[in-house]
Amino acid sequence: MVSDPRVNTLMNRLGGVYRDPHRVDRDASTLLRSSVGRHLIPKVASLVENNGMTTNTLCLKGTISIMFRGQEYQQLLDLFLGPGYPLRPPVAYVRLASANMYLKEHHPHVGSDGQVYLPYLAEWRPNSHSLIELIVAMSSIFSADPPVFTRAATNPPSYSSTTTTSTAMNNTNTNNSILGSVNTHASQSERDAIAEVEEHIAMEESRKEAEQLRKLQEEEAQREAQQMWDSKVHASTKDNVQRKIYNYLTEESKSIQRDIQEDMMDQIKLKQSQDQLVKEDFPNLALQKKELEEHHVKVDQALKDISKFVEEAESSQQQTNNNTDTNNGVSYDDIIQPASVLDEQMLELSAKVATYSDVMYFLGNALHNRTIEVTTLLREVRKYSKQQFLAKAHLLKISQHKATLQSQQQKTNGSSSNGMHH
């Protein structure tokens, strides 16, 4: 909708009076360009609100058309768009055109100060009501019940017979029946005057009919113009809405296409990465399979060897048991007897050394199985290692002493044999 330049200029002057200046500009421009508001002119005027504050607002001053008794009249009107517009309804005042015009008392829709009160204003909604509909409502209501009337000045009476007859003919209640009741014995001049009045009345009625026909044609033309204007506004609004919908759908389509393309690229990259991983890992998997097969063969061979060893051990154990049974229960301790005291000590010390080795072996297994702590292992190993060292040292000393005795015995035996030979 193209803004009216007059309204645009005034809106710039008013500054920050309105919360929605674009709506005020649009509504006022639409009314001024319509047929019902063509006689209105935008101005800046002061509006006194109910709280007593005075504010400069946009005011549409001029006239609106009303029809009364078949004739068109122009009613003066001031239409104020207050600071709260469009949330609050506009304020309208009926104005008087001349000094002999007065506001009708007790009018149902106009106060004594000229302010207009209409149901349309009381039910005002910014999303469903408009200034054009308000002007149409006021024109309809004021046509049925005009808010102003004219009080004509009183003229002095005239006593001329011709003037009296003419005045009677021009009266609103004069008709052909009154003319027919005129005295048939009147003079020729009176009959001529009556004929002239009748002709004048006929011409006046013809003129009024023509004037009324012209006004009807103008009203029809205004309605057609208003319909054309409304259709243009509707078409413009429809085009704007269609354009916005098209732009929105276009942007959404582009966005969806971009998302689909990105998803397809991600799928392609994922497929390529999967193929690459399979291609790179396949040789490694084949090598691992070969190594596992070889290891499986080795494990099978080891199991066979272990089974064979177990069978041999069981056979040896069985043979040992048989030998033990053959010896009638004689133990190895009874069979092995030391030849001397030194041999007995060496046997005991050798057994201790072997025992200490077994103890440290089992301590290592216990640490491996996490049944003892490292500190316990170190303490015990230190203790048994010391005892094993002492046993080994004692065993070494006995071995050395035994070797010395054997050497001395050999020397003694050698001397004895030499003496015998001599």
Side-chain angles (χ1 to χ4, degrees), residues 57-74:
T57 62
L58 180 65
C59 179
L60 305 180
K61 293 177 174 287
T63 62
I64 61 174
S65 299
I66 63 174
M67 297 295 296
F68 182 67
R69 294 181 180 177
Q71 292 189 5
E72 182 180 5
Y73 296 91
Q74 295 295 323

Side-chain angles (χ1 to χ4, degrees), residues 150-212:
T150 302
R151 185 175 297 167
T154 305
N155 294 324
S158 176
Y159 298 97
S160 172
S161 60
T162 305
T163 305
T164 301
T165 305
S166 300
T167 302
M169 296 301 145
N170 287 316
N171 195 293
T172 313
N173 297 325
T174 303
N175 50 35
N176 293 330
S177 62
I178 295 176
L179 294 176
S181 64
V182 177
N183 190 354
T184 56
H185 300 286
S187 63
Q188 182 65 34
S189 59
E190 290 176 350
R191 287 196 296 272
D192 294 339
I194 291 172
E196 184 178 354
V197 170
E198 291 177 348
E199 183 180 359
H200 178 72
I201 291 174
M203 292 178 62
E204 185 65 21
E205 290 179 354
S206 177
R207 186 190 65 79
K208 288 182 179 181
E209 291 178 357
E211 183 68 18
Q212 187 174 2

Side-chain angles (χ1 to χ4, degrees), residues 45-314:
S46 298
L47 173 64
V48 180
E49 301 187 44
N50 295 332
N51 57 7
M53 295 182 60
T54 302
T55 309
N56 287 333
T57 62
L58 180 65
C59 179
L60 305 180
K61 293 177 174 287
T63 62
I64 61 174
S65 299
I66 63 174
M67 297 295 296
F68 182 67
R69 294 181 180 177
Q71 292 189 5
E72 182 180 5
Y73 296 91
Q74 295 295 323
Q75 175 62 56
L76 284 176
L77 182 74
D78 290 349
L79 185 63
F80 291 89
L81 304 183
Y85 185 86
L87 298 179
R88 295 174 58 186
V91 180
Y93 285 92
V94 172
R95 301 306 185 191
L96 301 177
S98 61
N100 62 339
M101 298 188 69
Y102 302 90
L103 292 172
K104 184 181 293 185
E105 296 181 358
H106 307 298
H107 193 281
H109 301 294
V110 179
S112 59
D113 58 348
Q115 185 173 355
V116 179
Y117 300 94
L118 293 179
Y120 191 85
L121 292 173
E123 300 170 356
W124 179 268
R125 296 291 183 275
N127 296 328
S128 59
H129 290 58
S130 66
L131 297 179
I132 294 178
E133 292 180 353
L134 173 61
I135 297 301
V136 172
M138 282 194 290
S139 298
S140 177
I141 292 175
F142 292 163
S143 296
D145 188 4
V148 300
F149 66 95
T150 302
R151 185 175 297 167
T154 305
N155 294 324
S158 176
Y159 298 97
S160 172
S161 60
T162 305
T163 305
T164 301
T165 305
S166 300
T167 302
M169 296 301 145
N170 287 316
N171 195 293
T172 313
N173 297 325
T174 303
N175 50 35
N176 293 330
S177 62
I178 295 176
L179 294 176
S181 64
V182 177
N183 190 354
T184 56
H185 300 286
S187 63
Q188 182 65 34
S189 59
E190 290 176 350
R191 287 196 296 272
D192 294 339
I194 291 172
E196 184 178 354
V197 170
E198 291 177 348
E199 183 180 359
H200 178 72
I201 291 174
M203 292 178 62
E204 185 65 21
E205 290 179 354
S206 177
R207 186 190 65 79
K208 288 182 179 181
E209 291 178 357
E211 183 68 18
Q212 187 174 2
L213 180 60
R214 183 185 64 79
K215 290 180 179 179
L216 291 175
Q217 292 175 350
E218 289 181 356
E219 291 178 359
E220 185 65 26
Q222 290 178 2
R223 284 194 295 270
E224 292 179 357
Q226 182 64 34
Q227 291 177 357
M228 291 179 62
W229 175 259
D230 293 340
S231 63
K232 289 182 180 179
V233 172
H234 177 72
S236 177
T237 304
K238 183 178 179 181
D239 292 340
N240 291 334
V241 172
Q242 289 179 348
R243 184 169 60 255
K244 289 182 180 180
I245 292 174
Y246 175 77
N247 293 335
Y248 174 77
L249 293 177
T250 302
E251 292 297 328
E252 285 295 320
S253 176
K254 292 181 180 178
S255 177
I256 293 173
Q257 289 179 358
R258 287 195 297 269
D259 294 340
I260 292 174
Q261 291 178 355
E262 292 177 357
D263 292 340
M264 291 180 64
M265 291 298 297
D266 293 339
Q267 292 180 359
I268 293 173
K269 291 180 180 179
L270 180 61
K271 186 66 170 59
Q272 292 177 351
S273 61
Q274 290 177 349
D275 295 341
Q276 184 68 21
L277 288 174
V278 171
K279 184 177 180 180
E280 293 178 355
D281 293 343
F282 184 77
N284 296 331
L285 293 174
L287 181 60
Q288 291 178 2
K289 180 181 178 181
K290 184 178 179 180
E291 292 177 353
L292 289 174
E293 290 176 349
E294 294 176 353
H295 183 69
H296 181 69
V297 172
K298 292 180 180 179
V299 169
D300 290 341
Q301 184 64 36
L303 289 175
K304 292 179 180 179
D305 295 341
I306 291 172
S307 299
K308 183 178 180 180
F309 176 78
V310 170
E311 291 177 356
E312 293 177 353
E314 290 178 350

Side-chain angles (χ1 to χ4, degrees), residues 403-419:
T404 301
L405 291 177
Q406 289 178 355
S407 176
Q408 291 176 356
Q409 186 177 2
Q410 288 177 358
K411 288 180 179 180
T412 303
N413 292 332
S415 299
S416 298
S417 60
N418 293 329

